[in-house]
Amino acid sequence: MFYTNNRLRALAVGLALGLAPLPFPGGHAQAATAEAAQQQYNIAAGPLNTVLTRFADVSGSLIAGNLQLAADKQSPGVSGSFTPDQALARILAGTGLVADRDPDGAYVLRDAEAAGTNELSPVSVTAPNQYSVQNSLSYDRGRIEALQPQDMKDLFKNESSVSVGGSIPINQKVYVRGVEETAMLVTMDGARQNNKVFHHNATNLIDPSLLKATRASAGVAAADDGPGALGGSLAYETVDVGDLLAPGDSLGGFLDGRYASNGDTVTSAGSVFGRANGFEALGYVKHTDGNDYQDGNGDTAPFTAPALLSGLAKIAYQGDGPSRFELSHETVNDEAARPYRANFAGLDGGRPVPDSRIYDLTRENTVFNYSRDTGEGYWNPKVTLAHNETELETREVPLSAPDTTIVYTGITESLSATLKNVFHTRLASVSTGVDYYDDSAVFRFEGDPDLEENAQNTGAFLQVRQPVGDKLDLSYGVRYDQQDFTGTDDSEHDDSGVSSNVFAEFFVNDHLSFNAGYADVWGGTALAENFILNGAWDYGDQKPVEAYNHTFGGKADWNGFFAETNRFETRISNGRVPSFSVGPNEVADFDIEGYDVSLGYIGQRGEVSVKYANIESEKDGEPATSFDGNYFTAPLGEIITISGAFRMPILALELGMSTEITLDNDALEAAGNEQEGYTVVDLYADYQATRNLSLRLSVDNLGDEDYTDRASYGQEFATVDTLLEPGRSFALSARYGF
């Protein structure tokens, strides 16, 4: 309970804003007398809510404030002997928050800008892979919750340099600065993702509702990100209990419901999570069902009904020390009738095929993580052991034999392990270790022997992150990889190579900086997609794929206004493009280059941004089409995104919008068609009805535009009937937390 007028005022203000006070365990008398006493703290870096909970347990302090301020932030933790004031200042360093002490000894969290104070400078080195100067994109839980993404297209809708082709989750592919995710190192909770199953479906089927963070290092990835980062790295992290549970609470949960008018789509989800005595447990499940959607012309798009089922289970233990043990299992499934080729509606000419077939796609990811991150010293190990599997089963009734069903099954699997340690020295943070993967691609057809390719890779890496004075941040590293590859004919091929990277950011002053980076990447031999594997292939000599990346740019910010520009290029040599009939060793060279610009403003009441990207892709010196760019790139051209949000705290209301504008792209006119431009506008209104109930009303594709997404397959070919995106849809979402 709160005992003073100040505490009552904090409670009243919180209730007026639809927010909750943050009670912490500990006696009132202890809080009142704790200011002068020094105590020993050993609280590891992690979600700010979790770190604050441990601080309250150790110090006996009480904390009040706006729950949402802390919910999406990471803390560097604290280690050493400090007063509560000193310890809390270190915990809040770099978060943009401060804590004011009330006369009764309680702390009240406030936004540093709103409080008119300067944000504290970080006092410890940030853990690798949480923040890196090389990150070209970084979303935390707060950003993801604000977007409330239903699919990957929603997740990246405000990024002009990130495109997602496909109109439904099972056919969506992500392109970061023009590079398809197959040519990037993709991880989920640190686990390598291997999902080159079939080029007509999604590369990685992911439910973004499960995510607490997304980071991309486009082009220039760090050595400790992992092997094979040809076009950079793309990392996803699923939510922890600390991201969902308020400080001081031991049990919680939520129920989600959503109805969208286009396709009468109903989404239901729920989660329960808790913690006690250092143990944490979380369970989550989500299901989406409905009918085929209508496109902007008012026509029904056949075989597009939603059928997504996803879940997450996670247990963890972290005592008073910095060591954390975590085991998670995540699964996503989509099973329904889809267009025969799931990424476009039909094809004029070619062999006759049924209109549809069943696609049953399941991706499962099981990960064990152990970490000990003190933010200082020489012993900060991390161990990741993981198993990832994606299985696609297609079932079709052939036109020539309508009484039979043909079943094809493709399975990609990855066993991976990473052991690393971070040495925090006075001059730099040094990450070093080894990693391993065993990837396989299997194709099964009843009556025939299984066809399989396999690749095993062992790597060693060193990455240094080094501030030089207060003007220069450096990140540079090297890795060595040795790969053993086995073909469908059981032939074995061994190879090895070295990769290196360097990235630098120079700060002219507090408002202006410039950056540049370079990476050369050795990627070995990538597995072929399993639906084209051929037991008659003759492998012979293979050429390992290599990539060369460079980027340079600048950033400026002043009083909430910001601007950023980047110039980038990725060149891929000997990119593997195998063919069932031609053979396994077909290769091509790709050159993907462009630039992006962003302008905007972030203030206490809202934000607005305008982003522009211009990306060109070539294959063997000619403009790359969406066909011959499979696994590597797609024709994108010029894309503009405009997004903004306006918050009215007194009314507990937020209004927002996002717009995507693509310009006509005639680079591929020789293929049959130019890519036509379009403008799509989405609107939303969020309302915090009560402390526990939040509502969102949204309108997607406000103008009922009939269009094919710029990154979707086939729009440049006159013979391809593309999948138009959904037309206008009204949606109402609700979340009840308890």
Side-chain angles (χ1 to χ4, degrees):
M1 295 181 62
F2 301 108
Y3 296 95
T4 69
N5 289 336
N6 285 333
R7 300 299 295 277
L8 289 171
R9 281 197 295 270
L11 175 61
V13 171
L15 291 175
L17 297 179
L19 305 167
L22 307 180
F24 278 75
H28 175 70
Q30 287 178 299
T33 60
E35 182 173 6
Q38 285 199 348
Q39 295 175 258
Q40 183 66 33
Y41 295 89
N42 192 14
I43 303 174
L48 180 55
N49 280 337
T50 301
V51 174
L52 287 174
T53 298
R54 295 196 177 93
F55 166 75
D57 290 338
V58 174
S59 67
S61 300
L62 295 169
I63 297 183
N66 180 344
L67 173 63
Q68 296 305 315
L69 289 177
D72 61 348
K73 298 183 181 298
Q74 296 287 315
S75 167
V78 61
S79 180
S81 182
F82 304 104
T83 67
D85 283 0
Q86 293 169 335
L88 188 55
R90 284 161 173 76
I91 286 170
L92 297 177
T95 67
L97 302 181
V98 294
D100 298 332
R101 179 184 284 275
D102 278 353
D104 67 346
Y107 294 100
V108 178
L109 292 180
R110 304 187 192 280
D111 183 273
E113 181 181 348
T117 62
N118 294 322
E119 180 179 335
L120 296 173
S121 299
V123 295
S124 62
V125 180
T126 304
N129 295 330
Q130 293 294 324
Y131 167 78
S132 171
V133 69
Q134 289 163 267
N135 285 349
S136 57
L137 177 147
S138 184
Y139 281 5
D140 60 18
R141 179 63 180 169
R143 176 63 65 88
I144 294 172
E145 283 188 321
L147 290 168
Q148 294 189 22
Q150 301 302 305
D151 57 19
M152 299 303 287
K153 193 183 295 290
D154 285 346
L155 180 64
F156 296 117
K157 67 193 303 182
N158 295 334
E159 302 297 330
S160 63
S161 59
V162 181
S163 299
V164 180
S167 59
I168 53 178
I170 200 171
N171 62 24
Q172 290 180 345
K173 297 175 183 286
V174 179
Y175 300 84
V176 181
R177 288 184 177 172
V179 179
E180 204 260 295
E181 56 191 314
T182 304
M184 303 181 72
L185 170 69
V186 180
T187 60
M188 175 72 77
D189 289 335
R192 173 184 177 85
Q193 302 297 289
N194 175 20
N195 186 17
K196 195 187 289 185
V197 184
F198 194 20
H199 66 272
H200 288 303
N201 55 249
T203 301
N204 287 289
L205 181 62
I206 292 175
D207 177 5
S209 303
L210 303 170
L211 301 178
K212 76 168 183 180
T214 300
R215 293 182 302 277
S217 295
V220 184
D224 57 354
D225 282 356
L230 298 174
S233 63
L234 183 57
Y236 302 100
E237 291 185 16
T238 57
V239 292
D240 294 324
V241 172
D243 302 305
L244 301 172
L245 199 58
D249 288 351
S250 58
L251 184 66
F254 62 81
L255 295 173
D256 281 351
R258 184 177 190 269
Y259 171 79
S261 62
N262 194 343
D264 291 324
T265 301
V266 177
T267 302
S268 54
S271 180
V272 177
F273 36 85
R275 59 187 169 204
N277 301 321
F279 290 94
E280 302 174 8
L282 179 151
Y284 172 89
V285 65
K286 174 182 173 182
H287 181 243
T288 303
D289 198 4
N291 303 318
D292 297 336
Y293 67 75
Q294 291 186 333
D295 60 33
N297 293 318
D299 298 325
T300 297
F303 314 115
T304 59
L308 191 71
L309 177 65
S310 60
L312 172 68
K314 183 176 288 190
I315 57 174
Y317 175 77
Q318 183 168 354
D320 294 334
S323 294
R324 179 177 176 85
F325 303 83
E326 182 179 282
L327 178 65
S328 65
H329 178 76
E330 172 231 355
T331 182
V332 187
N333 171 261
D334 189 300
E335 180 181 5
R338 302 300 179 197
Y340 187 83
R341 301 171 180 89
N343 58 340
F344 60 93
L347 184 66
D348 297 334
R351 65 182 177 89
V353 296
D355 291 334
S356 71
R357 55 181 156 180
I358 300 294
Y359 281 72
D360 184 358
L361 178 62
T362 301
R363 186 181 62 83
E364 295 185 317
N365 196 53
T366 304
V367 190
F368 170 77
N369 275 300
Y370 165 76
S371 62
R372 183 184 185 275
D373 184 11
T374 65
E376 60 185 13
Y378 299 148
W379 183 237
N380 297 278
K382 182 173 183 180
V383 178
T384 300
L385 305 174
H387 174 255
N388 166 256
E389 180 180 285
T390 298
E391 178 176 324
L392 172 64
E393 181 182 277
T394 64
R395 302 188 293 273
E396 64 182 86
V397 177
L399 297 177
S400 59
D403 296 329
T404 63
T405 300
I406 296 177
V407 179
Y408 300 109
T409 304
I411 302 172
T412 56
E413 188 175 11
S414 181
L415 292 169
S416 60
T418 302
L419 292 83
K420 71 177 178 182
N421 185 63
V422 181
F423 300 85
H424 295 300
T425 71
R426 185 174 61 86
L427 298 178
S429 171
V430 181
S431 173
T432 185
V434 295
D435 51 37
Y436 170 82
Y437 71 74
D438 182 347
D439 286 1
S440 62
V442 177
F443 181 73
R444 290 176 181 163
F445 177 62
E446 185 176 357
D448 289 351
D450 288 355
L451 299 175
E452 179 177 359
E453 285 189 348
N454 177 266
Q456 299 179 36
N457 188 93
T458 302
F461 56 83
L462 175 74
Q463 186 74 24
V464 180
R465 296 171 172 89
Q466 180 180 11
V468 180
D470 59 358
K471 292 290 187 181
L472 182 64
D473 278 352
L474 293 176
S475 179
Y476 49 93
V478 63
R479 64 174 295 123
Y480 171 81
D481 290 287
Q482 196 279 325
Q483 186 191 68
D484 300 323
F485 180 89
T486 304
T488 59
D489 60 352
D490 293 328
S491 60
E492 296 183 355
H493 312 265
D494 301 337
D495 208 342
S496 61
V498 176
S499 306
S500 62
N501 72 90
V502 60
F503 198 98
E505 184 166 15
F506 178 75
F507 299 89
V508 178
N509 51 42
D510 291 341
H511 307 290
L512 179 64
S513 68
F514 295 96
N515 62 77
Y518 173 82
D520 57 76
V521 184
W522 182 90
T525 300
L527 297 179
E529 66 165 90
N530 37 23
F531 271 60
I532 66 167
L533 294 179
N534 189 337
W537 277 350
D538 179 10
Y539 283 78
D541 294 330
Q542 291 179 294
K543 298 179 180 179
V545 62
E546 297 181 276
Y548 308 90
N549 302 271
H550 70 259
T551 178
F552 59 88
K555 301 177 183 178
D557 65 86
W558 181 77
N559 284 353
F561 294 93
F562 67 87
E564 181 176 353
T565 184
N566 299 281
R567 180 74 171 86
F568 48 84
E569 182 177 18
T570 294
R571 290 185 293 113
I572 299 174
S573 298
N574 302 322
R576 191 181 181 203
V577 288
S579 165
F580 178 87
S581 57
V582 176
N585 295 330
E586 293 296 299
V587 296
D589 295 336
F590 294 88
D591 190 357
I592 306 154
E593 63 175 335
Y595 63 93
D596 56 42
V597 180
S598 61
L599 303 168
Y601 173 79
I602 300 175
Q604 196 173 347
R605 288 295 184 92
E607 58 191 71
V608 63
S609 68
V610 179
K611 301 179 180 181
Y612 168 84
N614 189 336
I615 301 171
E616 298 178 355
S617 302
E618 291 185 348
K619 175 189 176 185
D620 292 334
E622 298 293 331
T625 68
S626 56
F627 173 78
D628 56 26
N630 271 331
Y631 323 131
F632 291 101
T633 189
L636 296 176
E638 297 174 273
I639 301 174
I640 303 167
T641 60
I642 305 171
S643 61
F646 178 69
R647 293 178 283 273
M648 293 175 278
I650 299 301
L651 300 177
L653 183 66
E654 177 176 303
L655 305 177
M657 60 82 68
S658 61
T659 300
E660 181 183 34
I661 304 169
T662 66
L663 306 185
D664 291 346
N665 183 16
D666 59 3
L668 294 168
E669 202 165 10
N673 288 327
E674 72 172 9
Q675 293 176 304
E676 296 183 357
Y678 56 83
T679 299
V680 182
V681 179
D682 299 336
L683 303 175
Y684 73 85
D686 283 345
Y687 176 60
Q688 191 73 35
T690 68
R691 171 184 174 181
N692 296 327
L693 178 63
S694 60
L695 304 172
R696 168 172 286 202
L697 176 64
S698 60
V699 185
D700 295 331
N701 194 356
L702 177 67
D704 211 16
E705 183 91 350
D706 61 307
Y707 73 105
T708 303
D709 187 278
R710 178 53 55 88
S712 291
Y713 179 84
Q715 56 199 288
E716 71 272 35
F717 300 118
T719 57
V720 173
D721 183 11
T722 63
L723 272 173
L724 297 180
E725 294 290 313
R728 184 188 300 116
S729 183
F730 297 90
L732 178 63
S733 306
R735 166 170 289 192
Y736 180 79
F738 53 89

